[in-house]
Amino acid sequence: MKLTFLGAAGEVTGSCLRVDHERGSFLVDCGLFQGGREADRKNREALSFDLHDIDFVLLTHAHLDHTGLVPRLVALGYKGPIFTSAATVDLLGVMLMDSAHIQEKEAEWALRSTRSRKAGRGGNLVPLYTVEQARHSLGRLRALGFDEMVELGHGVRCRLRNAGHILGSAILEIDVEESGHTRRLVVSGDLGQPMRPVLQDPVQIPTADYLCVESTYGNRAHRSFADTCDELAEVLRRTLKVDGGNVIIPAFAVGRTQELLFVLADLVRAGRIDRLDVVVDSPMASAVTELTLRHDDLWDDETRELYAWTRHHADRFNLRFVQDVEESMALNSVGGGLVIISASGMCDAGRIKHHLRYNLGRRECAIVIAGFQAAGTLGRRLVDGAHQVTLFRERIPVRARIHTIGGLSAHADQPALLNWLRGFRSPPRRTFVMHGEPSAAAALAESVEHDLGWREVAVAEANVPCILK
C-alpha cells in the first residue's frame, strides 16, 4: 500500500489523499486549495493524473477544502462512486452549487476590470467549474451510514465514525486487503473540539495500522469555552449597547454559523444579554441550518433543550435569515444594533465582503473572527493587524475593533488531539500528521512522540509517495 498526499501537506487546505494498493486505487477527499496567490494555480493543476485509475472516492465531510474539487473531478472524466455520510450528501447539494455560483460570479467580476481582461487573454479567468458541472457531480454521491463496516470493492471496506466537527463529519476506518492480510488505515478528517455545542463529541478509535491525523491547531490550545463566551458577551454589550454599532461575524455556513447561533441564544437565555437581533445573511447558511434541524439525531442533548427554548422566546432572540440580494443590500443602511453573520468564513468570497466594506471603516463597529484563517486570506490579514484592505477595488481603512475569539473553533486543539490519540490501544505502525501549517504540524508530531511515546511519526509531505510495509 502506498499513500500520496496531494494536498493539505504543509498547509491546511486542498485535502486529497491518494491510496494505491495491489488491487486498485482510491482517493480520500478532493478539496479546494484556498488562500494565497498560488491557490488558483494549484486548483487548476490538481487532478492531473489518470482518473480512470481511481476506483472510488471517500469524503470525510462537506467543507470545501475537503470537497470543493469534486465537480472538477467529475468534469475531467471521473465516473466512479463518491462515498460519504448521508448528512454530507445533503450538505454538498447546497455547498457545491454555491461554490460554483460564486466562482462564476467572481470570474465575471474579474473580467470587468481592465487588468483582468489583459490577464484573461491567456484563458485563465474562467471558473474551475460551472453550476451545471456541480449539479452533474452530485449524481456520483453515495450515502453510507455511521458505525457500519461496508464493502466498497477491490478488497476495501470502510466504516464511518462521528468526527464531531460539522454535521455529517466522519473519521474513516478503512480496511485494505493485500496478499491475504488486512491492514487498517484510519483518516481522522477534521476532528471537532469535545464538549462544544450542537454536535456529539468525536468517537475514539481503538486500533489502526496506519494513521493520518489533522493538525490545524496542532501547536496551541483554545481558550476555554467559558472564557470565550465571556469575551463574546463583552463585545456584544460594548458594541450594541454602548457604541451603537454593528457586530459583523464572518462564519462558515456549515458548522460555524449553527454553533454561533447556539452560543448567542444561550447568552440571551442565561440573561447575560437582554436581547439580540441576529441576521444570518447567507442563503447557504440558511439552507444548512434547515438541514441541521433535519439531522437532529446528530445533536447533543443541550442543543435539543436550547432549541426548544428559542421557539418560545423569539421576542428576546430575534433571528432572521436573509435570502435575496435586495434584503442583503438593505442591511448596509442599518447603522447599529445588529449582529450580522455572513459567509465566507475567511472573508474571501460571498456577502461578508460587502458587510466588511460598509462596517470596517466605522470605529463603533466590531468584527469577530471566530475561526481559523488560512494564510493569504482577507480574514488572516485582519487578524494580523492590517490597517487597510482592498474590497471591490476600493481601499477600506480598518477602524472597527477586530476580535479573534478562537475558543469557538470547530477544530480540536492540541490537548484534544492528543487526548483523541490516547484512545488507541497501541500506537499505529506509522502516523502521518497532515492538514496543518508547517509549525502546527511539526509541533503536533513532536508532542505525539514526546508525550505519547509513539515512534514512526512524520509530517506529511506533498506529492511524495509513502510506501507502507
Side-chain angles (χ1 to χ4, degrees):
M1 189 158 56
K2 179 175 67 177
L3 306 183
T4 308
F5 297 89
L6 304 177
E11 59 185 307
V12 170
T13 66
S15 289
C16 187
L17 171 65
R18 176 169 176 157
V19 182
D20 295 289
H21 57 102
E22 67 179 22
R23 296 175 62 181
S25 302
F26 60 91
L27 298 180
V28 176
D29 286 340
C30 189
L32 275 173
F33 292 94
Q34 298 170 306
R37 296 180 178 178
E38 295 296 305
D40 185 66
R41 178 188 62 78
K42 289 180 178 179
N43 285 324
R44 294 183 190 279
E45 293 178 358
L47 309 176
S48 57
F49 48 89
D50 189 347
L51 299 180
H52 295 95
D53 292 340
I54 304 303
D55 301 313
F56 57 85
V57 178
L58 290 162
L59 301 178
T60 58
H61 65 287
H63 275 152
L64 292 178
D65 61 325
H66 293 257
T67 65
L69 284 182
V70 163
R72 187 167 175 83
L73 177 81
V74 176
L76 289 173
Y78 175 71
K79 300 185 184 304
I82 301 173
F83 298 106
T84 189
S85 69
T88 299
V89 170
D90 287 346
L91 289 173
L92 289 178
V94 177
M95 296 185 67
L96 294 182
M97 296 295 289
D98 184 78
S99 173
H101 175 74
I102 288 174
Q103 288 183 61
E104 286 186 348
K105 291 301 181 184
E106 294 205 335
E108 290 174 13
W109 171 265
L111 286 168
R112 291 194 188 108
S113 74
T114 302
R115 180 181 302 176
S116 294
R117 283 199 301 270
K118 291 178 180 177
R121 291 172 187 165
N124 293 324
L125 287 176
V126 294
L128 281 170
Y129 46 84
T130 65
V131 168
E132 184 54 39
Q133 287 171 332
R135 182 180 292 110
H136 179 65
S137 72
L138 298 176
R140 309 250 45 97
L141 299 177
R142 304 289 184 269
L144 301 178
F146 279 95
D147 303 323
E148 179 185 356
M149 189 64 80
V150 178
E151 293 278 355
L152 302 181
H154 303 275
V156 181
R157 299 187 302 160
C158 181
R159 175 164 49 211
L160 310 185
R161 308 301 299 275
N162 196 333
H165 173 60
I166 65 168
L167 192 74
S169 60
I171 303 160
L172 306 182
E173 292 181 292
I174 306 167
D175 287 353
V176 180
E177 185 178 337
E178 286 189 310
S179 303
H181 299 284
T182 298
R183 291 181 288 180
R184 174 162 294 177
L185 169 66
V186 171
V187 181
S188 73
D190 288 353
L191 295 171
Q193 182 77 353
M195 306 301 292
R196 287 297 190 267
V198 183
L199 299 178
Q200 300 163 17
D201 289 351
V203 171
Q204 291 194 298
I205 308 299
T207 60
D209 294 301
Y210 307 103
L211 170 66
C212 298
V213 61
E214 70 123 320
S215 60
T216 310
Y217 287 97
N219 59 348
R220 71 195 89 168
H222 298 321
R223 295 189 65 182
S224 73
F225 191 63
D227 288 345
T228 296
C229 292
D230 288 345
E231 183 178 358
L232 182 57
E234 180 56 32
V235 171
L236 294 168
R237 280 194 295 266
R238 175 179 171 180
T239 306
L240 301 176
K241 303 300 182 184
V242 178
D243 297 337
N246 294 316
V247 176
I248 309 299
I249 310 180
F252 297 109
V254 181
R256 185 59 40 76
T257 293
Q258 292 73 39
E259 185 175 12
L260 278 165
L261 292 177
F262 175 98
V263 172
L264 294 170
D266 201 40
L267 289 175
V268 176
R269 180 176 65 167
R272 303 183 65 182
I273 302 291
D274 293 337
R275 68 181 304 278
L276 286 175
D277 290 306
V278 180
V279 178
V280 176
D281 184 18
S282 166
M284 182 167 67
S286 301
V288 169
T289 302
E290 223 173 274
L291 290 174
T292 302
L293 296 176
R294 189 187 308 169
H295 288 278
D296 58 354
D297 57 309
L298 301 175
W299 297 3
D300 60 22
D301 292 339
E302 190 176 358
T303 298
R304 299 176 196 279
E305 294 174 8
L306 182 60
Y307 177 65
W309 181 88
T310 60
R311 296 183 67 183
H312 294 91
H313 294 85
D315 57 324
R316 294 180 60 197
F317 186 69
N318 179 26
L319 174 61
R320 179 161 61 101
F321 290 90
V322 168
Q323 293 288 344
D324 61 51
V325 174
E326 288 74 17
E327 282 185 283
S328 178
M329 292 174 63
L331 296 174
N332 297 327
S333 64
V334 180
L338 292 182
V339 177
I340 301 175
I341 302 173
S342 188
S344 71
M346 296 187 193
C347 309
D348 266 0
R351 295 183 180 183
I352 188 61
K353 295 171 71 175
H354 295 276
H355 297 303
L356 292 174
R357 180 185 186 185
Y358 284 93
N359 290 274
L360 265 178
R362 303 173 57 215
R363 299 185 190 280
E364 65 270 28
C365 293
I367 314 299
V368 173
I369 304 294
F372 183 82
Q373 306 297 307
T377 61
L378 173 58
R380 182 63 165 264
R381 292 197 293 278
L382 293 175
V383 169
D384 289 344
H387 296 294
Q388 61 178 0
V389 298
T390 300
L391 288 164
F392 306 106
R393 293 182 287 167
E394 179 183 349
R395 299 297 288 174
I396 307 294
V398 180
R399 299 192 183 104
R401 296 183 310 280
I402 309 296
H403 300 270
T404 302
I405 303 183
L408 292 176
S409 174
H411 283 272
D413 60 6
Q414 189 194 73
L417 288 168
L418 291 174
N419 188 58
W420 182 77
L421 292 169
R422 289 187 179 96
F424 288 92
R425 294 183 192 136
S426 59
R429 296 184 197 175
R430 294 185 70 180
T431 298
F432 298 92
V433 180
M434 61 177 189
H435 201 282
E437 293 182 353
S439 58
L444 182 63
E446 182 179 351
S447 294
V448 171
E449 290 178 327
H450 181 269
D451 297 349
L452 304 186
W454 289 15
R455 298 180 179 178
E456 297 297 326
V457 180
V459 174
E461 295 182 61
N463 302 305
V464 177
C466 302
I467 297 175
L468 306 181
K469 298 180 179 179

